[in-house]
Amino acid sequence: MTRTVLILNGPNLNMLGTREPATYGHETLDDIADMCRLTGERLELQVEFQQTNHEGQMIDWIHQARGRCAGIIINPAAWTHTSVAIRDALVASEVPVIEVHLSNVHARETFRHHSYVSAIAVGVMCGFGSNGYRLALEHFAQLIKA
Ligand code: DQA
């Protein structure tokens, strides 16, 4: 079985570190990518880490995971709340999905309470900051072992 886990990040997450630090913290996306790669090495997973501000690019990456990846960890950012296309792509990929949010979206504005992705995900990590990515990787490592 493949041990590749694809970690996908949606719009504006390239601005982490300077973007609303009271909500998203001071870590940059590069810091999170480094932490995920180290975690991947420890868990013997091959981690691929990507970010885009373009929905079509995100959909292409999701399609390319089909038959190739053991899991997708996705922080769809604002697309969480708007994109049927991302949800449909994730379903079409037939790859298990864990949804991650740095902030607790349920403690924020009402428009963030609905996710198009949650219902088709294995589970959701939300409000744990970058630890959510680590926990999601740990879960996939256990799934693969089982
Ligand atoms: C986010 C939460 C979303 O509501 C928001 O649009 C983001 C980041 C998070 O990681 O907390 O861009 O996904």
Side-chain angles (χ1 to χ4, degrees), residues 43-62:
L43 298 171
E44 295 174 7
L45 297 174
Q46 216 160 330
V47 169
E48 294 178 11
F49 194 97
Q50 303 278 20
Q51 187 276 332
T52 183
N53 295 321
H54 304 278
E55 194 171 2
Q57 173 64 82
M58 180 64 91
I59 290 168
D60 287 344
W61 283 334
I62 294 169

Side-chain angles (χ1 to χ4, degrees), residues 6-54:
L6 181 60
I7 305 183
L8 296 173
N9 295 278
N12 303 307
L13 293 172
N14 56 311
M15 303 290 287
L16 286 179
T18 51
R19 173 193 179 202
E20 300 179 68
T23 302
Y24 298 117
H26 292 279
E27 270 178 302
T28 66
L29 196 64
D30 281 346
D31 294 334
I32 297 176
D34 288 347
M35 178 276 286
C36 288
R37 287 198 188 96
L38 280 176
T39 305
E41 277 170 31
R42 175 170 59 81
L43 298 171
E44 295 174 7
L45 297 174
Q46 216 160 330
V47 169
E48 294 178 11
F49 194 97
Q50 303 278 20
Q51 187 276 332
T52 183
N53 295 321
H54 304 278

Side-chain angles (χ1 to χ4, degrees), residues 11 13 19 24 75-78 80-81 100-103 105 108 112:
L13 293 172
R19 173 193 179 202
Y24 298 117
N75 183 344
T80 310
H81 320 297
V100 172
H101 300 285
L102 296 159
S103 64
V105 286
R108 299 180 62 195
R112 295 185 204 275

